[in-house]
Amino acid sequence: METSLSSSLKAWQIAEKCKRDHNQIDPMINFFIDRNVRYKDVLNTHLYFDVQDIYQQVEKLKSQAYEHLPLAFVPVLIKDNICTENIPTTCASKILEDYRPPYSATVIERLKQAGAIIFGKLNCDEFAMGSSNENSAYGPVLNPWDKEYVPGGSSGGSAAAVSAGLCPIALGSDTGGSIRQPASYCGILGYKPSYGLVSRFGLIAFASSLDQIGPMTTDALDAALLSDVIMGHDPKDSTSLKSGSPSWFQTLKELKESEINLKGTTIGVVSEFFAAGIDSEVNACLQENIKKLSELGATIKNVSLKSLKNSISTYYVIATAEASANLARYDGIRFGFRADSHEGKKSLKEMYANTRTQGFGDEVKRRIFLGTYVLSSGYKDAYYTKATRMRQVIKDDFLAAFSAVDFLVGPTAPTTAFKLGEKNKDPVSMYLNDIYTIAVNLAGLPALSLPCGINSLGLPIGMQFIGKPGDDFQILKGAYVYEQATGWHEHHKPKL
Amino acid sequence: MAIEVEEVKRIAKLAHIKLNEDEITKFAKQTQQILEFFDELKTQSDSLDKNWRPDILGKSTLEREDIVIPPTPVEKTISLAPEKSGSAFQVPKIIE
Amino acid sequence: MSRPQGGMNTTNLSSNEQPRQSQFKAVIGLEVHCQLNTETKLFCGCPTQFGELPNHNTCPICLGLPGVLPVLNTKAVDFGIRLALAVGARLQPTSVFARKQYFYPDLPKGYQITQYDLPYAVGGGISLSDGKFIALTRIHFEEDAGKNIHGDRVSYVDLNRAGIPLLEIVTEPCIHTPEHAGEYLKRLRSIVRHLEISDGNLDEGSFRCDVNISVQGIHDKELGTRCEIKNLNSFKNIERAIQYEILRQIDLIEDGKKIVQETLLYDPALGRTQAMRSKEEAKDYRYFPDPDLKPLIISPERIERVKTNLAELPEAMANRFSESYQITLLDADQLTHEKELALFFEEVVAKVKKEISPKIVANWILSEYLREHNEKKWDFKKPVITAQNMADLLNLMAEGVISGKIAKMVFNEMVDTQADPSVIVKKKGLVQITDTSIIREAIATILANNSGQVGEYLSGKEKLFGFFVGEIMKVSKGKYNPALVNQILKELLNDQEKTLQAQK
């Protein structure tokens, strides 16, 4: 029945429906296939979509016992920097065009074990480097709310896909805000877990000590469900925390009416987040929402994070340094693009240089260059070594703030989405966009962005919750409470 | 802090990335802008203890048992290679 | 200024060189890369066994494919702790893995995971036979690179070796002669084999040595310019290369020329070092701590556990042998150089009769047995001569069944046929003859046939005694008991003399 099929269906509802009645499976899958086919080219969200592959997965799952699988038949779209065995994984780069990994990321294995259908791979900024999805070698992604605007980045494809209802849940990755900022620009929920909660095995690395995979969904319940599936220690990842898989979905679902509020919670408002640079509408919207949080029972406190002003430089030194090493493996020898194939006359050095120069886009080259610079002898102590100490200072600052509050609130980005081409001439101003999200990655904290308003141009505004290390559930619950109280996320969808 | 063209060339060489004249100028300028951010970082962190190693806090690194895991079938591995000879990767001649 | 010619034994200085060398001091530091014989690689579960076809022992992790992560091999850590304990190095409670970045086809990630400013062990050292102590600077873990194979116009890359665990062992620059360098390396190799952490094969590449060497005037305080010699694949070549390089540098200094800091290869055929072809640029490895790994924290409990199970080291074993078996320290040292030889010796000692002293066993093993073992490259795992065989042979000697000379013949036969010694003795009728009447008769015949020499002997040419013994041995094919031969020969010659005297 068409009316029961809706792009507003949550992942948990889809799983329930399909498990309860197997006749729902095909119509459900076909509904989402149609939706993907209809919008993916318009928005340029996809880098890979194969209907036959989808049907194969569905048929395989049908032949198994799936009654206990939490994500049975749920369509999930995956950012294209996460390895999927035998399926092209390009990181939106020319250097990995047609690259088909011989293995799948741990998160993909876990999704499959939970019954999810991997619906396709999503466009993003090249190697996750960017804040607008304009750095893709395969063209920019467009914001479903207004196609003249960027969806944000680097998980722009994931944010746009969920926002446009192409799938209920998607995976993104976040190194300096790449899940949260596009979630904010596209009006969805984007959650970056505490560092180490989700395995990075199979996530194509940008900055190893900052990267995390996380859920991009329409609400907190789905984020919780997805977390339950993908989280838990992975012995293949030395940075993976020793914890087991959570059961947050159940915990949220079982909350009593009387528990769905913020009573007893103290929320910190970071004064530095509301300093110069914030758009006035975003500011006004956030102030209103902080009031709302107070109405829901929270105690609001002002906090100051003095070292926050160093977060951009600290981040860019560390992130580019790690990236320059992580991207050294792209040399055209064992996989991927190689320049001068079949020419035979060029030397090895020429082959390396041509491959990397032709294969990488400008932003990637810029960051590799910067990272090489800050690590090179003569500069390392001045930049990299100092940045690692400053990072700890920033972390300690947050921990000190958390002694007085349960979590922090602020805007996710200083503005709403900007127009395509508006900012990509000047990389430095692009970097300044990350000011509210970056410090979180430096400190390894959990954080999420949830939609909380629309500006006069009809573009979404996002509110960010930042939690204590390992206290992810607190902010998910906070988001859930807000959603239940306001229903904001239900009533505001882009008109496609 | 201005960045010398020679420095830009040296760094680009280390990273095995070719830059044309325009790009050298552009990268020098952009790097300089970004590093001006960093210079603020330098002075800020001058008060920090030079021997402080925050990276060595915490528990010991994960270890695994010395038990063989079957390697990837070589056909799968070598099928990824842009150029190969038998089961070996092929590259332009390496001059020692 | 003569330079040693290629092919000659360059460790023996001509009389020209000795006074020159006394004006200069060579300063040598050695870096050994020792492959650990764990089952799997340092950061992934691929097998480490040697000799597979290219890229058959690889996985996404050691291939450096996008998205992979390293996880440390626990046994490799324990092996590292063993070595540190064995050489008295100080184990650091916290050590850090670092990325060493450079581009080369055999380095799949474009960086090597190694340890840089915080290695897992520092200090320690090895004592040499003349008392010189070779101090170590540090020991650290790192992963091996793959192999590049050179064709005519292309090269090939095999990553089977990429990721195999290595220990890098660095000495202080405290070595001054090629002989000390050679002995240090042999002892280090012996230690890693005793500890069973490495095969220590120079020719298979599981024990690789690079030499850093500079020369300075004997009274100079400043170090000379250092050169590095790589790719040395035998102990002999290492000593020769060092000797050559010392003289090369002395020549340059005496000519007033500057020594260029460069990396050299040693050509054994030409007997000389030469610079690698490519011009060296200053390397910028951009080391930084690997963010995919946490620091390695080695607890005192872990160290205790490894210590309790630590194998006996060569030096301790040699001392023990010398004392309990009453053999010279020199012999003990030789026997304990290879653990398996030492165990073989002990097994034979356990199986021989009381009359055969361990010293005799040692003599046999260090001469006949070791000669064959080295020449024929025997493998202790597939013994050509077992300890039982050896013991049986020596027992036959003790029982007087065969003489020492015959025993050597039997031994050679054992080597060729792998048969038991008693079987050989029986088959070839080698049982020693002790029947005095037979011996007496034979000797009498020989003396009768050589009356001229008898006469000469009796008039004073005592050396002819040996001639008679030789003739007797020929006739008897060595089967006569030598002591009886001696005794009876003396008797008969004395009788002859008495007869002569009487005739006068």
Side-chain angles (χ1 to χ4, degrees):
Chain A
M1 285 288 293
E2 198 57 44
T3 46
S4 71
L5 293 172
S6 157
S7 57
S8 297
L9 276 175
K10 308 296 169 198
W12 62 270
Q13 290 168 329
I14 293 170
E16 245 173 54
K17 271 181 188 285
C18 292
K19 285 191 279 192
R20 203 184 323 135
D21 177 7
H22 68 272
N23 292 314
Q24 300 272 0
I25 297 171
D26 287 344
M28 184 74 73
I29 296 293
N30 286 321
F31 170 78
F32 279 104
I33 289 177
D34 286 343
R35 213 162 161 83
N36 275 256
V37 168
R38 208 188 315 174
Y39 294 110
K40 68 179 176 65
D41 294 333
V42 164
L43 298 172
N44 201 26
T45 43
H46 285 48
L47 294 178
Y48 180 83
F49 186 73
D50 182 349
V51 175
Q52 288 314 311
D53 181 56
I54 292 172
Y55 285 143
Q56 266 174 25
Q57 291 181 57
V58 172
E59 289 314 303
K60 184 160 179 235
L61 185 59
K62 278 183 188 170
S63 68
Q64 297 166 336
Y66 55 76
E67 292 74 27
H68 60 295
L69 299 180
L71 291 176
F73 302 103
V74 174
V76 185
L77 286 165
I78 311 289
K79 184 176 182 180
D80 208 21
N81 63 351
I82 296 173
C83 287
T84 42
E85 188 174 349
N86 289 333
I87 290 176
T89 302
T90 69
C91 291
S93 178
K94 187 170 173 200
I95 219 166
L96 286 178
E97 195 168 31
D98 300 329
Y99 171 66
R100 287 172 189 255
Y103 75 99
S104 278
T106 299
V107 293
I108 300 295
E109 304 280 349
R110 290 181 181 181
L111 279 175
K112 285 186 152 168
Q113 280 161 18
I117 307 297
I118 308 298
F119 237 59
K121 306 299 291 295
L122 296 174
N123 203 349
C124 54
D125 277 304
E126 190 181 356
F127 283 104
M129 298 180 185
S131 314
S132 64
N133 218 132
E134 293 175 290
N135 292 332
S136 166
Y138 304 102
V141 174
L142 310 180
N143 191 320
W145 291 79
D146 185 333
K147 294 198 271 297
E148 286 181 31
Y149 287 78
V150 301
S154 58
S155 312
S158 309
V162 172
S163 170
L166 306 190
C167 60
I169 54 180
L171 285 186
S173 74
D174 189 315
T175 305
S178 292
I179 284 177
R180 293 161 284 151
Q181 183 250 42
S184 162
Y185 283 10
C186 291
I188 61 161
L189 185 120
Y191 156 48
K192 183 205 86 69
S194 292
Y195 184 82
L197 279 187
V198 181
S199 167
R200 290 186 301 115
F201 190 83
L203 170 65
I204 296 181
F206 158 12
S208 319
S209 74
L210 300 163
D211 295 340
Q212 270 295 271
I213 294 174
M216 298 180 79
T217 64
T218 56
D219 74 354
L221 273 180
D222 268 356
L225 182 60
L226 193 43
S227 298
D228 291 349
V229 168
I230 63 177
M231 286 187 185
H233 176 65
D234 182 9
K236 292 195 235 172
D237 175 357
S238 300
T239 59
S240 160
L241 293 174
K242 278 288 172 90
S243 46
S245 310
S247 53
W248 292 336
F249 176 75
Q250 216 46 45
T251 312
L252 284 180
K253 267 232 129 208
E254 283 167 7
L255 283 176
K256 292 193 275 271
E257 196 69 44
S258 59
E259 291 169 310
I260 304 181
N261 56 58
L262 295 171
K263 287 196 203 130
T265 311
T266 309
I267 304 179
V269 175
V270 182
S271 44
E272 284 82 4
F273 281 169
F274 294 91
I278 187 174
D279 170 270
S280 55
E281 283 188 88
V282 171
N283 193 9
C285 175
L286 259 294
Q287 298 302 340
E288 242 181 73
N289 279 289
I290 290 170
K291 250 189 238 141
K292 182 86 205 169
L293 295 174
S294 166
E295 282 162 24
L296 288 169
T299 309
I300 308 293
K301 258 200 168 133
N302 278 328
V303 301
S304 171
L305 295 168
K306 296 236 169 358
S307 59
L308 217 53
K309 61 184 185 294
N310 292 318
S311 51
I312 293 205
S313 24
T314 306
Y315 170 83
Y316 275 97
V317 171
I318 292 175
T320 58
E322 293 180 5
S324 69
N326 285 331
L327 270 62
R329 69 192 63 198
Y330 300 100
D331 58 12
I333 294 180
R334 290 145 292 123
F335 59 87
F337 167 76
R338 176 195 286 204
D340 308 326
S341 281
H342 314 300
E343 223 185 89
K345 292 187 203 134
K346 295 268 158 87
S347 71
L348 180 67
K349 279 209 160 78
E350 282 287 303
M351 193 274 281
Y352 277 147
N354 290 337
T355 296
R356 292 163 64 78
T357 306
Q358 292 169 33
F360 287 138
D362 283 346
E363 186 59 33
V364 171
K365 283 190 274 212
R366 187 177 3 258
R367 295 196 195 195
I368 291 175
F369 182 86
L370 203 57
T372 308
Y373 188 96
V374 301
L375 283 176
S376 88
S377 65
Y379 305 117
K380 181 177 159 198
D381 287 333
Y383 297 119
Y384 183 80
T385 311
K386 291 210 162 129
T388 56
R389 291 189 199 127
M390 191 50 76
R391 180 179 188 169
Q392 190 63 38
V393 170
I394 292 170
K395 213 178 202 164
D396 290 341
D397 236 5
F398 271 108
L399 293 179
F402 282 130
S403 63
V405 304
D406 295 309
F407 63 88
L408 304 167
V409 69
T412 306
T415 64
T416 52
F418 46 87
K419 280 195 170 175
L420 284 152
E422 189 181 314
K423 295 219 172 150
N424 64 0
K425 304 285 184 295
D426 180 6
V428 178
S429 76
M430 189 74 91
Y431 296 163
L432 288 173
N433 264 331
D434 300 329
I435 197 155
Y436 298 131
T437 49
I438 267 180
V440 165
N441 300 77
L442 287 171
L445 305 173
L448 57 80
S449 176
L450 63 156
C452 66
I454 300 270
N455 75 356
S456 51
L457 292 173
L459 295 168
I461 298 170
M463 171 166 60
Q464 183 177 208
F465 290 168
I466 302 171
K468 295 180 187 176
D471 199 9
D472 299 48
F473 183 71
Q474 175 91 248
I475 55 172
L476 278 172
K477 182 180 170 213
Y480 179 67
V481 166
Y482 179 91
E483 285 167 0
Q484 292 296 308
T486 66
W488 178 269
H489 60 304
E490 286 306 314
H491 304 304
H492 296 85
K493 304 266 171 174
K495 292 185 191 68
L496 288 165
Chain B
M1 193 202 101
I3 302 198
E4 302 283 325
V5 165
E6 282 316 302
E7 259 312 82
V8 175
K9 287 183 177 171
R10 178 180 80 90
I11 299 291
K13 201 165 176 203
L14 271 179
H16 289 264
I17 289 177
K18 281 183 175 179
L19 299 176
N20 59 38
E21 291 303 315
D22 279 341
E23 285 167 326
I24 291 175
T25 319
K26 194 168 69 167
F27 269 44
K29 181 157 168 264
Q30 285 168 347
T31 307
Q32 184 184 328
Q33 274 183 296
I34 294 162
L35 290 183
E36 266 154 21
F37 267 131
F38 298 164
D39 285 334
E40 150 215 315
L41 174 72
K42 276 199 286 181
T43 45
Q44 283 294 328
S45 55
D46 276 342
S47 58
L48 299 175
D49 179 359
K50 289 188 180 16
N51 293 319
W52 187 28
R53 287 290 301 256
D55 60 306
I56 62 172
L57 304 166
K59 291 211 199 112
S60 186
T61 196
L62 196 62
E63 292 181 31
R64 74 186 156 80
E65 291 302 319
D66 187 32
I67 297 172
V68 172
I69 297 172
T72 307
V74 74
E75 318 81 58
K76 212 173 185 186
T77 299
I78 206 68
S79 69
L80 299 169
E83 267 177 67
K84 50 189 162 272
S85 172
S87 67
F89 302 107
Q90 184 173 305
V91 296
K93 181 134 172 76
I94 301 166
I95 302 173
E96 296 260 72
Chain C
M1 286 321 154
S2 67
R3 183 165 295 157
Q5 300 299 309
M8 271 168 52
N9 182 355
T10 55
T11 53
N12 288 333
L13 297 169
S14 71
S15 51
N16 275 354
E17 311 291 12
Q18 277 158 0
R20 284 211 307 154
Q21 275 226 193
S22 65
Q23 298 301 311
F24 293 94
K25 181 167 86 158
V27 177
I28 301 163
L30 299 174
E31 255 172 50
V32 168
H33 286 92
C34 178
Q35 266 184 1
L36 297 179
N37 60 2
T38 49
E39 295 294 321
T40 65
K41 296 184 177 183
L42 190 55
F43 295 112
C44 70
C46 284
T48 53
Q49 85 206 73
F50 187 77
E52 284 289 345
L53 290 171
N55 298 311
H56 278 60
N57 276 349
T58 60
C59 74
I61 299 167
C62 54
L63 288 168
L65 295 188
V68 297
L69 296 171
V71 181
L72 185 59
N73 181 334
T74 195
K75 187 153 243 162
V77 178
D78 288 341
F79 280 11
I81 297 173
R82 281 189 207 176
L83 180 64
L85 290 171
V87 298
R90 287 185 307 285
L91 283 155
Q92 304 297 101
T94 304
S95 63
V96 172
F97 290 100
R99 292 186 179 179
K100 176 182 183 180
Q101 303 178 64
Y102 61 97
F103 281 80
Y104 211 56
D106 62 6
L107 195 66
K109 295 188 290 295
Y111 60 84
Q112 177 198 34
I113 302 179
T114 177
Q115 294 190 302
Y116 179 60
D117 48 356
L118 291 177
Y120 86 96
V122 296
I126 293 178
S127 291
L128 305 185
S129 54
D130 65 2
K132 173 137 175 103
F133 180 73
I134 307 295
L136 297 182
T137 314
R138 54 186 275 156
I139 313 174
H140 71 252
F141 293 107
E142 58 183 39
E143 51 175 0
D144 210 343
K147 274 211 178 102
N148 296 318
I149 305 151
H150 302 301
D152 282 327
R153 288 176 320 153
V154 290
S155 296
Y156 308 102
V157 185
D158 169 17
L159 296 176
N160 282 344
R161 201 183 67 174
I164 288 188
L166 295 176
L167 288 178
E168 179 172 326
I169 305 148
V170 184
T171 71
E172 291 285 317
C174 63
I175 301 172
H176 304 296
T177 68
E179 294 77 26
H180 277 167
E183 189 186 339
Y184 161 77
L185 292 170
K186 287 185 187 135
R187 286 189 181 273
L188 177 62
R189 180 181 177 272
S190 173
I191 289 173
V192 303
R193 285 173 61 85
H194 268 72
L195 292 173
E196 293 183 36
I197 62 175
S198 174
D199 297 328
N201 277 327
L202 269 93
D203 47 6
E204 268 179 21
S206 59
F207 194 84
R208 314 199 283 257
C209 181
D210 296 335
V211 178
N212 286 304
I213 173 169
S214 69
V215 160
Q216 63 195 86
I218 199 99
H219 300 298
D220 284 349
K221 290 223 159 73
E222 262 184 49
L223 286 169
T225 307
R226 202 179 59 183
C227 288
E228 189 183 10
I229 313 175
K230 290 178 97 80
N231 285 6
L232 296 156
N233 60 7
S234 75
F235 290 121
K236 243 188 223 144
N237 283 339
I238 291 170
E239 289 190 38
R240 286 182 178 152
I242 293 174
Q243 185 55 55
Y244 177 88
E245 184 60 17
I246 292 173
L247 294 174
R248 181 188 80 93
Q249 291 197 17
I250 289 176
D251 275 353
L252 285 172
I253 294 174
E254 287 189 329
D255 280 352
K257 299 205 189 108
K258 254 193 142 193
I259 293 168
V260 178
Q261 180 174 357
E262 53 193 354
T263 304
L264 307 164
L265 298 173
Y266 179 70
D267 185 331
L270 297 176
R272 44 174 294 199
T273 60
Q274 35 201 18
M276 289 172 72
R277 241 181 301 156
S278 62
K279 207 37 209 313
E280 288 253 308
E281 294 146 348
K283 295 254 160 56
D284 185 354
Y285 293 121
R286 289 159 283 137
Y287 291 96
F288 73 103
D290 193 325
D292 287 332
L293 294 163
K294 298 247 150 83
L296 175 62
I297 297 174
I298 297 179
S299 68
E301 293 75 38
R302 187 174 194 169
I303 298 173
E304 242 348 273
R305 202 181 354 110
V306 174
K307 205 185 229 172
T308 320
N309 296 320
L310 203 64
E312 194 180 13
L313 294 174
E315 200 179 327
M317 207 184 241
N319 288 333
R320 176 170 70 81
F321 275 22
S322 178
E323 216 162 296
S324 10
Y325 297 119
Q326 298 292 302
I327 57 179
T328 63
L329 200 52
L330 187 64
D331 281 352
D333 201 35
Q334 274 194 282
L335 281 171
T336 55
H337 210 65
E338 286 289 341
K339 188 185 203 168
E340 289 150 319
L341 185 69
L343 293 175
F344 180 77
F345 165 77
E346 287 198 294
E347 241 193 291
V348 174
V349 165
K351 289 183 194 303
V352 290
K353 294 188 136 117
K354 274 196 295 279
E355 299 87 73
I356 305 254
S357 67
K359 175 128 186 69
I360 295 182
V361 177
N363 286 345
W364 265 86
I365 290 180
L366 290 174
S367 54
E368 313 299 320
Y369 180 85
L370 204 54
R371 184 195 63 231
E372 290 296 321
H373 177 89
N374 290 340
E375 242 175 65
K376 303 210 164 70
K377 299 210 192 314
W378 282 346
D379 178 3
F380 279 107
K381 292 190 197 81
K382 292 178 232 146
V384 170
I385 297 199
T386 63
Q388 189 61 61
N389 290 154
M390 199 73 219
D392 288 344
L393 179 67
L394 296 177
N395 284 339
L396 288 175
M397 262 176 57
E399 288 155 18
V401 174
I402 53 175
S403 66
K405 221 186 173 96
I406 296 286
K408 289 191 182 163
M409 277 174 58
V410 174
F411 179 81
N412 291 333
E413 190 71 18
M414 280 161 70
V415 170
D416 290 338
T417 63
Q418 292 189 265
D420 281 343
S422 42
V423 166
I424 296 170
V425 166
K426 201 169 277 182
K427 202 164 146 198
K428 297 218 153 176
L430 294 172
V431 179
Q432 193 170 226
I433 293 171
T434 50
D435 184 337
T436 51
S437 52
I438 297 178
I439 296 175
R440 191 175 287 273
E441 205 185 303
I443 292 178
T445 312
I446 286 177
L447 291 181
N449 290 341
N450 291 285
S451 48
Q453 283 87 336
V454 174
E456 284 179 46
Y457 175 81
L458 291 176
S459 41
K461 261 202 173 162
E462 292 191 351
K463 279 200 183 142
L464 285 171
F465 190 87
F467 166 74
F468 296 134
V469 171
E471 292 298 302
I472 296 163
M473 282 303 161
K474 266 193 224 157
V475 148
S476 71
K477 298 212 185 75
K479 283 197 282 197
Y480 294 166
N481 180 307
L484 286 176
V485 164
N486 258 3
Q487 187 194 312
I488 294 170
L489 177 60
K490 273 207 189 103
E491 258 183 54
L492 290 181
L493 284 170
N494 276 344
D495 286 349
Q496 297 256 2
E497 190 168 26
K498 282 201 192 111
T499 313
L500 216 61
Q501 298 282 28
Q503 281 172 354
K504 281 202 181 122

